[in-house]
Short mmCIF file of all heavy atoms in Angstrom, two decimals:
data_model
loop_
_atom_site.label_atom_id
_atom_site.label_comp_id
_atom_site.label_asym_id
_atom_site.label_seq_id
_atom_site.Cartn_x
_atom_site.Cartn_y
_atom_site.Cartn_z
N ALA A 1230 -33.31 16.61 6.76
CA ALA A 1230 -32.90 16.51 8.08
C ALA A 1230 -31.96 15.32 8.40
O ALA A 1230 -31.05 15.43 9.16
CB ALA A 1230 -34.25 16.47 8.97
N MET A 1231 -32.32 14.23 7.73
CA MET A 1231 -31.48 13.08 7.86
C MET A 1231 -30.09 13.34 7.39
O MET A 1231 -29.04 12.85 7.92
CB MET A 1231 -32.11 11.93 7.12
CG MET A 1231 -31.40 10.54 7.31
SD MET A 1231 -32.11 9.19 6.48
CE MET A 1231 -33.84 9.24 7.06
N ALA A 1232 -29.98 13.94 6.18
CA ALA A 1232 -28.58 14.27 5.63
C ALA A 1232 -27.92 15.29 6.54
O ALA A 1232 -26.63 15.09 6.74
CB ALA A 1232 -28.79 14.93 4.20
N ILE A 1233 -28.57 16.20 7.12
CA ILE A 1233 -27.85 17.21 8.06
C ILE A 1233 -27.32 16.54 9.31
O ILE A 1233 -26.19 16.93 9.83
CB ILE A 1233 -28.68 18.36 8.28
CG1 ILE A 1233 -29.03 19.13 7.09
CG2 ILE A 1233 -28.21 19.21 9.36
CD1 ILE A 1233 -30.08 20.20 7.27
N CYS A 1234 -28.11 15.57 9.80
CA CYS A 1234 -27.81 14.95 11.14
C CYS A 1234 -26.77 13.78 11.01
O CYS A 1234 -26.35 13.32 12.12
CB CYS A 1234 -28.96 14.54 11.84
SG CYS A 1234 -30.24 15.88 12.27
N THR A 1235 -26.52 13.31 9.82
CA THR A 1235 -25.54 12.20 9.62
C THR A 1235 -24.26 12.62 9.04
O THR A 1235 -24.14 13.78 8.59
CB THR A 1235 -26.23 11.16 8.76
OG1 THR A 1235 -26.67 11.75 7.51
CG2 THR A 1235 -27.47 10.52 9.48
N ASP A 1236 -23.32 11.79 9.11
CA ASP A 1236 -21.93 12.07 8.78
C ASP A 1236 -21.37 11.32 7.47
O ASP A 1236 -20.17 11.21 7.44
CB ASP A 1236 -21.03 11.74 9.96
CG ASP A 1236 -21.36 12.46 11.31
OD1 ASP A 1236 -21.74 13.66 11.14
OD2 ASP A 1236 -21.26 11.89 12.22
N TYR A 1237 -22.32 10.82 6.68
CA TYR A 1237 -21.90 9.98 5.49
C TYR A 1237 -22.08 10.87 4.20
O TYR A 1237 -22.59 10.37 3.27
CB TYR A 1237 -22.80 8.74 5.48
CG TYR A 1237 -22.54 7.82 6.56
CD1 TYR A 1237 -23.30 7.93 7.91
CD2 TYR A 1237 -21.51 6.82 6.53
CE1 TYR A 1237 -23.07 7.12 8.87
CE2 TYR A 1237 -21.29 5.95 7.59
CZ TYR A 1237 -22.01 6.09 8.72
OH TYR A 1237 -21.82 5.18 9.80
N TRP A 1238 -21.55 12.05 4.22
CA TRP A 1238 -21.48 12.85 3.02
C TRP A 1238 -20.33 12.40 2.14
O TRP A 1238 -20.54 12.28 0.99
CB TRP A 1238 -21.34 14.27 3.47
CG TRP A 1238 -22.59 14.91 4.06
CD1 TRP A 1238 -23.13 14.68 5.21
CD2 TRP A 1238 -23.49 15.90 3.29
NE1 TRP A 1238 -24.33 15.31 5.32
CE2 TRP A 1238 -24.56 16.07 4.21
CE3 TRP A 1238 -23.43 16.47 2.07
CZ2 TRP A 1238 -25.58 17.13 3.97
CZ3 TRP A 1238 -24.39 17.50 1.90
CH2 TRP A 1238 -25.52 17.74 2.70
N TYR A 1239 -19.18 12.10 2.87
CA TYR A 1239 -18.00 11.74 1.95
C TYR A 1239 -17.24 10.60 2.88
O TYR A 1239 -17.09 10.75 4.02
CB TYR A 1239 -17.13 13.01 1.88
CG TYR A 1239 -15.91 12.69 0.93
CD1 TYR A 1239 -16.11 12.57 -0.50
CD2 TYR A 1239 -14.51 12.70 1.52
CE1 TYR A 1239 -14.96 12.39 -1.15
CE2 TYR A 1239 -13.42 12.51 0.62
CZ TYR A 1239 -13.60 12.29 -0.65
OH TYR A 1239 -12.57 12.15 -1.56
N GLU A 1240 -16.83 9.61 2.01
CA GLU A 1240 -16.12 8.51 2.64
C GLU A 1240 -14.82 8.19 1.97
O GLU A 1240 -14.75 8.39 0.73
CB GLU A 1240 -17.08 7.22 2.47
CG GLU A 1240 -18.50 7.47 3.21
CD GLU A 1240 -19.41 6.27 2.80
OE1 GLU A 1240 -18.96 5.43 2.00
OE2 GLU A 1240 -20.43 6.14 3.45
N THR A 1241 -13.89 7.69 2.71
CA THR A 1241 -12.61 7.22 2.32
C THR A 1241 -12.31 5.87 2.84
O THR A 1241 -12.70 5.58 4.00
CB THR A 1241 -11.38 8.22 2.71
OG1 THR A 1241 -11.36 8.30 4.07
CG2 THR A 1241 -11.77 9.57 1.97
N ASP A 1242 -11.61 5.00 2.07
CA ASP A 1242 -11.32 3.65 2.47
C ASP A 1242 -9.70 3.46 2.18
O ASP A 1242 -9.38 3.37 1.01
CB ASP A 1242 -12.13 2.63 1.68
CG ASP A 1242 -11.90 1.20 2.15
OD1 ASP A 1242 -11.10 1.00 3.18
OD2 ASP A 1242 -12.53 0.32 1.68
N ALA A 1243 -9.00 3.38 3.18
CA ALA A 1243 -7.59 3.35 3.15
C ALA A 1243 -6.98 2.00 3.45
O ALA A 1243 -5.76 1.83 3.60
CB ALA A 1243 -6.85 4.47 4.03
N ARG A 1244 -7.79 1.01 3.42
CA ARG A 1244 -7.28 -0.42 3.83
C ARG A 1244 -6.29 -0.92 2.76
O ARG A 1244 -5.26 -1.43 3.20
CB ARG A 1244 -8.50 -1.26 4.00
CG ARG A 1244 -9.30 -1.04 5.19
CD ARG A 1244 -10.64 -1.98 5.24
NE ARG A 1244 -11.48 -1.71 4.18
CZ ARG A 1244 -12.59 -2.43 4.05
NH1 ARG A 1244 -12.88 -3.27 4.93
NH2 ARG A 1244 -13.42 -2.21 3.03
N ARG A 1245 -6.67 -0.73 1.52
CA ARG A 1245 -5.69 -1.26 0.46
C ARG A 1245 -4.42 -0.44 0.50
O ARG A 1245 -3.30 -1.04 0.33
CB ARG A 1245 -6.35 -1.14 -0.83
CG ARG A 1245 -5.52 -1.74 -2.00
CD ARG A 1245 -6.31 -1.80 -3.35
NE ARG A 1245 -6.71 -0.44 -3.76
CZ ARG A 1245 -7.20 -0.09 -4.91
NH1 ARG A 1245 -7.66 -1.06 -5.70
NH2 ARG A 1245 -7.58 1.13 -5.18
N HIS A 1246 -4.41 0.80 0.83
CA HIS A 1246 -3.13 1.65 0.92
C HIS A 1246 -2.35 1.17 2.08
O HIS A 1246 -1.14 1.14 2.00
CB HIS A 1246 -3.50 3.11 0.98
CG HIS A 1246 -2.28 3.91 1.16
ND1 HIS A 1246 -1.51 4.26 0.06
CD2 HIS A 1246 -1.94 4.69 2.22
CE1 HIS A 1246 -0.56 5.12 0.56
NE2 HIS A 1246 -0.86 5.42 1.87
N ARG A 1247 -3.01 0.91 3.21
CA ARG A 1247 -2.27 0.45 4.45
C ARG A 1247 -1.58 -0.91 4.13
O ARG A 1247 -0.38 -1.03 4.55
CB ARG A 1247 -3.21 0.38 5.58
CG ARG A 1247 -3.52 1.80 6.27
CD ARG A 1247 -4.61 1.59 7.35
NE ARG A 1247 -4.67 2.78 8.14
CZ ARG A 1247 -3.95 3.02 9.32
NH1 ARG A 1247 -3.18 2.06 9.68
NH2 ARG A 1247 -4.22 4.11 9.97
N ASP A 1248 -2.33 -1.84 3.54
CA ASP A 1248 -1.65 -3.19 3.19
C ASP A 1248 -0.60 -2.82 2.29
O ASP A 1248 0.59 -3.60 2.41
CB ASP A 1248 -2.74 -3.98 2.69
CG ASP A 1248 -3.87 -4.35 3.61
OD1 ASP A 1248 -3.69 -4.20 4.82
OD2 ASP A 1248 -4.96 -4.71 3.21
N ARG A 1249 -0.71 -2.12 1.37
CA ARG A 1249 0.47 -1.89 0.43
C ARG A 1249 1.61 -1.36 1.08
O ARG A 1249 2.77 -1.64 0.75
CB ARG A 1249 -0.08 -0.97 -0.77
CG ARG A 1249 1.05 -0.94 -1.90
CD ARG A 1249 0.37 0.12 -2.89
NE ARG A 1249 1.33 0.33 -4.06
CZ ARG A 1249 1.13 1.22 -4.96
NH1 ARG A 1249 0.03 1.88 -5.05
NH2 ARG A 1249 2.11 1.36 -5.85
N CYS A 1250 1.45 -0.33 2.01
CA CYS A 1250 2.64 0.28 2.66
C CYS A 1250 3.25 -0.74 3.66
O CYS A 1250 4.43 -0.62 3.88
CB CYS A 1250 2.10 1.64 3.35
SG CYS A 1250 1.58 2.86 2.29
N LYS A 1251 2.38 -1.62 4.19
CA LYS A 1251 2.96 -2.63 5.16
C LYS A 1251 3.89 -3.60 4.34
O LYS A 1251 4.87 -3.99 4.80
CB LYS A 1251 1.88 -3.29 5.87
CG LYS A 1251 1.16 -2.49 6.91
CD LYS A 1251 0.04 -3.35 7.64
CE LYS A 1251 -0.63 -2.48 8.66
NZ LYS A 1251 -1.75 -3.22 9.34
N ASN A 1252 3.40 -3.92 3.25
CA ASN A 1252 4.14 -4.94 2.34
C ASN A 1252 5.46 -4.18 1.83
O ASN A 1252 6.54 -4.87 1.81
CB ASN A 1252 3.39 -5.37 1.18
CG ASN A 1252 2.24 -6.26 1.59
OD1 ASN A 1252 2.22 -6.89 2.62
ND2 ASN A 1252 1.14 -6.24 0.84
N HIS A 1253 5.39 -2.93 1.65
CA HIS A 1253 6.57 -2.22 1.23
C HIS A 1253 7.56 -2.02 2.38
O HIS A 1253 8.80 -1.92 2.24
CB HIS A 1253 6.09 -0.83 0.62
CG HIS A 1253 7.42 0.01 0.17
ND1 HIS A 1253 8.00 -0.32 -0.97
CD2 HIS A 1253 7.94 1.07 0.65
CE1 HIS A 1253 9.01 0.54 -1.12
NE2 HIS A 1253 8.98 1.41 -0.12
N ALA A 1254 7.06 -1.85 3.56
CA ALA A 1254 7.83 -1.66 4.74
C ALA A 1254 8.45 -3.01 5.31
O ALA A 1254 9.55 -3.01 5.99
CB ALA A 1254 7.03 -0.99 5.81
N ASN A 1255 7.83 -4.06 5.04
CA ASN A 1255 8.28 -5.35 5.58
C ASN A 1255 9.32 -6.06 4.70
O ASN A 1255 9.60 -7.22 5.00
CB ASN A 1255 7.04 -6.29 5.79
CG ASN A 1255 6.16 -5.90 6.90
OD1 ASN A 1255 6.66 -5.12 7.85
ND2 ASN A 1255 4.87 -6.13 6.82
N LYS A 1256 9.67 -5.42 3.68
CA LYS A 1256 10.67 -6.19 2.74
C LYS A 1256 12.05 -6.19 3.64
O LYS A 1256 12.36 -5.40 4.47
CB LYS A 1256 10.91 -5.30 1.48
CG LYS A 1256 11.55 -3.89 1.70
CD LYS A 1256 11.62 -3.28 0.46
CE LYS A 1256 12.26 -1.78 0.59
NZ LYS A 1256 12.31 -1.09 -0.67
N ARG A 1257 12.87 -7.15 3.26
CA ARG A 1257 14.12 -7.44 3.95
C ARG A 1257 15.13 -6.34 3.76
O ARG A 1257 15.27 -5.86 2.46
CB ARG A 1257 14.63 -8.81 3.53
CG ARG A 1257 13.82 -9.96 4.02
CD ARG A 1257 14.39 -11.30 3.45
NE ARG A 1257 15.78 -11.56 3.90
CZ ARG A 1257 16.54 -12.53 3.43
NH1 ARG A 1257 16.03 -13.42 2.65
NH2 ARG A 1257 17.81 -12.55 3.87
N ASN A 1258 15.80 -5.92 4.75
CA ASN A 1258 16.86 -4.88 4.67
C ASN A 1258 18.13 -5.27 5.41
O ASN A 1258 18.91 -4.51 5.81
CB ASN A 1258 16.31 -3.61 5.32
CG ASN A 1258 15.82 -3.66 6.73
OD1 ASN A 1258 15.91 -4.88 7.23
ND2 ASN A 1258 15.35 -2.57 7.19
N ASP A 1259 18.23 -6.72 5.60
CA ASP A 1259 19.52 -7.13 6.19
C ASP A 1259 20.62 -7.00 5.28
O ASP A 1259 20.47 -7.03 4.07
CB ASP A 1259 19.23 -8.63 6.68
CG ASP A 1259 18.75 -9.51 5.64
OD1 ASP A 1259 17.69 -9.25 5.22
OD2 ASP A 1259 19.51 -10.41 5.22
N PRO A 1260 21.90 -6.95 5.83
CA PRO A 1260 23.09 -6.85 4.90
C PRO A 1260 23.25 -8.06 4.06
O PRO A 1260 23.07 -9.30 4.49
CB PRO A 1260 24.20 -6.72 5.97
CG PRO A 1260 23.55 -6.27 7.16
CD PRO A 1260 22.19 -6.79 7.24
N GLY A 1261 23.55 -7.78 2.85
CA GLY A 1261 23.82 -8.89 1.88
C GLY A 1261 22.53 -9.23 0.97
O GLY A 1261 22.67 -10.02 0.04
N TYR A 1262 21.37 -8.73 1.40
CA TYR A 1262 20.12 -9.00 0.62
C TYR A 1262 19.76 -7.77 -0.19
O TYR A 1262 19.78 -6.70 0.17
CB TYR A 1262 19.03 -9.23 1.56
CG TYR A 1262 17.65 -9.50 0.82
CD1 TYR A 1262 17.46 -10.79 0.26
CD2 TYR A 1262 16.74 -8.52 0.71
CE1 TYR A 1262 16.22 -10.96 -0.43
CE2 TYR A 1262 15.52 -8.78 0.11
CZ TYR A 1262 15.31 -10.05 -0.44
OH TYR A 1262 14.20 -10.28 -1.14
N ILE A 1263 19.57 -8.07 -1.47
CA ILE A 1263 19.24 -7.06 -2.53
C ILE A 1263 17.83 -7.15 -2.89
O ILE A 1263 17.43 -8.25 -3.43
CB ILE A 1263 20.17 -7.02 -3.72
CG1 ILE A 1263 21.71 -6.95 -3.33
CG2 ILE A 1263 19.76 -6.14 -4.84
CD1 ILE A 1263 22.63 -7.14 -4.46
N TYR A 1264 17.04 -6.16 -2.65
CA TYR A 1264 15.55 -6.21 -2.98
C TYR A 1264 15.35 -5.77 -4.39
O TYR A 1264 15.92 -4.68 -4.82
CB TYR A 1264 14.81 -5.25 -2.08
CG TYR A 1264 13.33 -5.25 -2.40
CD1 TYR A 1264 12.41 -6.23 -2.01
CD2 TYR A 1264 12.85 -4.17 -3.05
CE1 TYR A 1264 11.15 -6.27 -2.33
CE2 TYR A 1264 11.55 -4.17 -3.46
CZ TYR A 1264 10.56 -5.20 -3.05
OH TYR A 1264 9.26 -5.12 -3.35
N ILE A 1265 14.72 -6.66 -5.25
CA ILE A 1265 14.52 -6.39 -6.58
C ILE A 1265 13.03 -6.55 -6.85
O ILE A 1265 12.40 -7.58 -6.61
CB ILE A 1265 15.27 -7.32 -7.45
CG1 ILE A 1265 16.78 -7.20 -7.25
CG2 ILE A 1265 14.98 -7.06 -8.92
CD1 ILE A 1265 17.54 -8.20 -8.02
N SER A 1266 12.30 -5.53 -7.15
CA SER A 1266 10.82 -5.54 -7.31
C SER A 1266 10.63 -6.11 -8.72
O SER A 1266 11.43 -6.30 -9.60
CB SER A 1266 10.35 -4.10 -7.29
OG SER A 1266 10.88 -3.42 -8.35
N ASN A 1267 9.37 -6.53 -8.86
CA ASN A 1267 8.95 -7.25 -10.18
C ASN A 1267 9.00 -6.34 -11.32
O ASN A 1267 8.93 -6.76 -12.40
CB ASN A 1267 7.56 -7.78 -9.95
CG ASN A 1267 7.59 -8.86 -8.95
OD1 ASN A 1267 8.50 -9.66 -8.71
ND2 ASN A 1267 6.40 -9.09 -8.15
N HIS A 1268 8.88 -4.99 -11.01
CA HIS A 1268 8.94 -4.05 -12.13
C HIS A 1268 10.22 -4.03 -12.87
O HIS A 1268 10.25 -3.60 -14.08
CB HIS A 1268 8.55 -2.65 -11.65
CG HIS A 1268 7.24 -2.58 -11.05
ND1 HIS A 1268 5.95 -2.71 -11.86
CD2 HIS A 1268 6.75 -2.37 -9.79
CE1 HIS A 1268 4.90 -2.55 -11.04
NE2 HIS A 1268 5.43 -2.34 -9.88
N ASN A 1269 11.34 -4.45 -12.15
CA ASN A 1269 12.60 -4.26 -12.77
C ASN A 1269 13.12 -5.57 -13.57
O ASN A 1269 14.12 -5.65 -13.95
CB ASN A 1269 13.67 -4.05 -11.72
CG ASN A 1269 13.47 -2.69 -10.97
OD1 ASN A 1269 12.96 -1.79 -11.70
ND2 ASN A 1269 13.84 -2.54 -9.76
N LEU A 1270 12.18 -6.57 -13.67
CA LEU A 1270 12.40 -7.68 -14.47
C LEU A 1270 12.54 -7.31 -15.91
O LEU A 1270 11.81 -6.44 -16.34
CB LEU A 1270 11.39 -8.81 -14.17
CG LEU A 1270 11.34 -9.37 -12.76
CD1 LEU A 1270 10.22 -10.45 -12.57
CD2 LEU A 1270 12.70 -10.09 -12.38
N PRO A 1271 13.29 -8.04 -16.73
CA PRO A 1271 14.13 -9.18 -16.42
C PRO A 1271 15.34 -8.84 -15.72
O PRO A 1271 15.86 -7.76 -15.54
CB PRO A 1271 14.52 -9.76 -17.73
CG PRO A 1271 14.51 -8.49 -18.66
CD PRO A 1271 13.43 -7.71 -18.15
N LEU A 1272 15.84 -10.01 -14.98
CA LEU A 1272 17.06 -9.64 -14.01
C LEU A 1272 18.31 -9.38 -14.58
O LEU A 1272 19.11 -8.77 -14.19
CB LEU A 1272 17.15 -10.82 -13.07
CG LEU A 1272 15.96 -11.22 -12.27
CD1 LEU A 1272 16.15 -12.43 -11.33
CD2 LEU A 1272 15.54 -10.02 -11.32
N GLN A 1273 18.48 -9.98 -15.93
CA GLN A 1273 19.73 -9.82 -16.67
C GLN A 1273 19.69 -8.54 -17.41
O GLN A 1273 18.79 -8.18 -18.19
CB GLN A 1273 19.88 -10.99 -17.66
CG GLN A 1273 21.28 -10.88 -18.35
CD GLN A 1273 21.43 -12.11 -19.21
OE1 GLN A 1273 20.47 -12.88 -19.43
NE2 GLN A 1273 22.62 -12.24 -19.90
N MET A 1274 20.68 -7.70 -17.09
CA MET A 1274 20.78 -6.37 -17.81
C MET A 1274 21.35 -6.52 -19.16
O MET A 1274 22.27 -7.37 -19.29
CB MET A 1274 21.70 -5.38 -16.92
CG MET A 1274 21.12 -5.14 -15.54
SD MET A 1274 19.67 -4.18 -15.71
CE MET A 1274 20.21 -2.70 -16.36
#
């Protein structure tokens, strides 16, 4: 009866995903600035 009357059968936590998307959206996009992620290091091709 407790299981039927409550809503905690399945839970999701999207806080880390929201923070990651905010950091991705807040990167600079002004002219003359080139965004280089850490995955593309080393910088010298």
Side-chain angles (χ1 to χ4, degrees):
M1231 186 182 302
I1233 292 174
C1234 297
T1235 53
D1236 302 319
Y1237 293 89
W1238 287 68
Y1239 185 71
E1240 303 174 349
T1241 59
D1242 187 358
R1244 289 178 294 181
R1245 187 172 60 176
H1246 176 75
R1247 280 176 170 265
D1248 295 338
R1249 186 180 177 187
C1250 289
K1251 286 179 181 179
N1252 295 332
H1253 181 73
N1255 291 335
K1256 64 182 181 181
R1257 293 177 56 184
N1258 56 1
D1259 51 297
Y1262 179 78
I1263 301 176
Y1264 177 78
I1265 302 176
S1266 63
N1267 294 331
H1268 296 295
N1269 295 331
L1270 295 176
L1272 300 179
Q1273 184 178 2
M1274 297 296 294

